[in-house]
Amino acid sequence: MKLYDYAAAPNPRRVRIFLAEKNIQIETVQIDLAKLEQKSEAFLKLSPLGEVPLLQLDDGTCISQVHAICRYIEEVYPENPLLGRTPLEKALVESSNHQLNMNGIVAVADGFRNANPAFADRALPGPNAYAQIPALAERGLARVDHLFRDLDAHFANSEFVIGDYFSVADITAFTTIGFARWIKKTIPEDCVNLQRWYDQVNARPSAKA
Ligand SMILES: N[C@@H](CCC(=O)N[C@@H](CS)C(=O)NCC(=O)O)C(=O)O
């Protein structure tokens, strides 16, 4: 198994943290997005979307999308489950993780990609050219402000996203907060519950992955 990765990018980091939480070491191959290596013919043969992360199995099969990669890893390595332990927990994890992806990762990406001149005509990842929409960048910033407040309220009464169970949803929220620095958004000083949770997750060895 091989992970096509880019150390600086948020989505591959989600998979690296997931693997670290499960104590799984796999080979990684860096695809330098700054040098547009994701657009090379060789990489597009593996990943027509031209996106990382990409998991390649030993038989050559490639799996794209963070959620699908994590699902595969969880099925093959069920120890230290991160996608839930019971039917209900699995549903709750998936629900929260989906919301955090949409309201976190995607909101920051909108804020970043619709404003940064380096992403002109690349406002969305993938093979098609999309022009930037400045209003989407502004909306992304506002959504991140709301996310910080919503998470702060949530962590007032909950150790992790799902009670006292550390899950992939925490990894998504944690990675979002690191990614938000790209649009100069940091945890507001008065969000003490969010900061408490962040410090707790940041102290886990996997946070360095
Ligand atoms: N929905 C995808 C998102 C992957 C994604 O956006 N990856 C970014 C890096 S964080 C990428 O490969 N960007 C390539 C580009 O901008 O051309 C997933 O879940 O894996």
Side-chain angles (χ1 to χ4, degrees), residues 13-183:
R13 186 179 185 214
R14 295 163 69 186
V15 173
R16 292 199 308 272
I17 295 176
F18 192 92
L19 287 164
E21 282 287 335
K22 283 182 168 287
N23 287 317
I24 299 167
Q25 273 105 37
I26 65 171
E27 184 189 344
T28 61
V29 180
Q30 293 297 310
I31 299 296
D32 191 331
L33 302 186
K35 293 188 181 151
L36 297 181
E37 285 179 1
Q38 75 276 28
K39 308 277 186 199
S40 72
E41 205 178 310
F43 187 65
L44 287 174
K45 266 191 197 144
L46 301 177
S47 165
L49 289 174
E51 289 178 2
V52 286
L54 183 78
L55 187 73
Q56 187 174 37
L57 308 185
D58 294 342
D59 71 356
T61 307
C62 288
I63 304 173
S64 76
Q65 306 303 307
V66 174
H67 298 311
I69 295 171
C70 292
R71 163 62 63 200
Y72 179 79
I73 294 165
E74 180 97 334
E75 299 287 340
V76 176
Y77 301 96
E79 306 80 27
N80 305 332
L82 293 166
L83 298 185
R85 298 161 296 188
T86 64
L88 175 60
E89 205 173 63
K90 287 177 188 180
L92 294 176
V93 168
E94 190 161 330
S95 171
S96 293
N97 197 35
H98 181 72
Q99 291 176 55
L100 286 160
N101 184 59
M102 295 307 295
N103 298 333
I105 296 285
V106 172
V108 179
D110 273 352
F112 180 70
R113 297 186 76 116
N114 285 288
N116 188 318
F119 286 83
D121 286 325
R122 292 205 297 129
L124 288 173
N128 302 310
Y130 291 104
Q132 293 173 318
I133 302 175
L136 273 184
E138 254 175 67
R139 190 184 72 177
L141 298 181
R143 291 178 73 200
V144 173
D145 289 338
H146 290 135
L147 180 73
F148 283 158
R149 298 281 154 205
D150 292 347
L151 285 175
D152 188 59
H154 179 79
F155 290 127
N157 302 307
S158 194
E159 184 181 2
F160 294 116
V161 173
I162 307 294
D164 63 0
Y165 170 60
F166 180 88
S167 74
V168 72
D170 292 282
I171 297 175
T172 304
F174 179 72
T175 313
T176 295
I177 287 176
F179 187 25
R181 288 190 209 111
W182 294 26
I183 54 169

